[in-house]
Amino acid sequence: MTKIEKIVLSYSGGLDTSIILKWLQETYGCEVVTFTADLGQGEELEPARANAEMVGVKDIRIVDLREEFVSDFVFPMLRANALYEGQYLLGSSIARPLIAKHLVGIAREVGADAVAHGATGKGNDQIRFELAVNALDPSIKVIAPWRQWNIRSRMQLLEYAEKHHIPVPSDKRGEAPFSIDANLLHTSTEGKILENPAEVAPDHVYQRTVDPVDAPDTPEIVTIGFDWGDPVSVNGKSMTPAALLTELNGLGGRHGIGRLDLVENRFIDMKSRGIYETPGGTILLTAHRGIESITLDRAAAHLKDEIMPRYAELIYNGFWFAPEREMLQALIDHSQAFVSGEVTLRLYKGSASVISRASPCSLYSADLVTFEESTIAFDHHDAEGFIRLNGLRLRSWVARNGR
Ligand code: ARG
């Protein structure tokens, strides 16, 4: 085994990463620094400090990354209206490059030669962490205990904990819990009964949204302000990115918005079923499309839609820090210069629908489109010629082929 001097571990404070922490200390016999990111997962982070102290960690980093997460990762992605396989808002995918960036930053600061993460060997997250480290600092090694140790089952994991005096909370003693990943953008739940896509997900899987059936019977109206493609206000009140997303998560959650039960294709080529809850993100995607509908030129909007699946796949597959993602981002960002104004939505029993949009930079012309007499010069004979020319090749084609 290669000699490692110092490791920075991405540490949640939970049972699995506590075992990883111990295993790293035992296996490499070196100092381990823990890094716990507050991404708005809605969990107490102080237990992470206590648990790390308990196993003798001296350098414990707990960092609030909520604003950076939303402004530098979630919002750029929203500008693209990114959806993986048409539906997934990429809540876990977009958090990994940020965590990796800080792991690398801390490693450099403390002179560590390796970083470690608790992602398993079958998932996407290991790929995302490690591709990001590759792109940011290839001199830093990556340790992925789940791929390296001999622990192969939940039982063995708990045995390892007992043997090394790591306290196992009583609710973690039985069968494996759901695998949950949460942050300000979403909650993702996988595993257990969900592994059978034919089984209906039980209601207790959902954590941040009510069942639309139980949502209020009266709709709620919300207005979101945009500036350069980014949401900046809710009901006229300016907010920081993280505060804005937090606010919309509350609103959306109460109205049962943003639930998704999805079977997706992992990069590592297996299908997996997950339950996602993305209340604020779902509202923002709808609102962003609403403001773009009046501010983007037709061809610009269509080009964005063409590259969107490619861009989303890059993020899903872990290529956030790759040149082609940055190139697409430049294109997307350029398109947003006039994407400013206000969109009003109605939230009602699981749906967020745009009911009005307005912008000082609108391209919409009521005068042009009106069924009534228009003052703008629009010669109806032009439309006739336009159709005749577009139909030219169709007439030749049918003349040859017949119908
Ligand atoms: N399948 C999702 C993705 O690849 C979520 C992965 C993390 N979620 C989890 N529950 N462990 O982005």
Side-chain angles (χ1 to χ4, degrees), residues 120-124 126-127 265-271 316-317:
T120 59
K122 286 188 177 177
N124 293 312
Q126 53 177 346
I127 308 174
N265 292 293
R266 288 189 187 159
F267 190 22
I268 206 149
D269 260 327
M270 50 184 99
K271 292 187 187 293
Y316 187 86
N317 290 353

Side-chain angles (χ1 to χ4, degrees), residues 88 92-93 96 124-125 128 179-181 188-190 264 272 276 316:
Y88 170 38
S92 293
S93 328
R96 304 305 171 223
N124 293 312
D125 289 327
R128 298 169 183 148
S179 165
I180 296 171
D181 180 52
S188 144
T189 311
E190 294 176 355
E264 76 204 41
S272 79
Y276 298 103
Y316 187 86

Side-chain angles (χ1 to χ4, degrees), residues 3 9 18 25 37 48 80 131 201 203 227 239 249 354 364 379 392:
K3 180 97 188 81
L9 168 66
S18 292
Q25 292 171 328
L131 288 181
D203 206 52
D227 187 33
M239 291 185 185
N249 279 336
V354 174
Y364 190 95
D379 189 338
L392 180 56

Side-chain angles (χ1 to χ4, degrees), residues 1 7 12 32 37-38 84 100 109-110 121 127 129 175-176 198 243 247 255 261 277 289 314 331 339 356:
M1 197 160 50
I7 305 166
S12 74
V32 180
D38 183 357
Y84 179 66
E109 185 194 323
V110 302
I127 308 174
F129 279 126
E175 54 166 333
E247 170 81 11
H255 290 277
D261 181 334
E277 295 169 90
R289 279 203 171 271
L314 286 173
L331 181 153
V339 181
S356 80

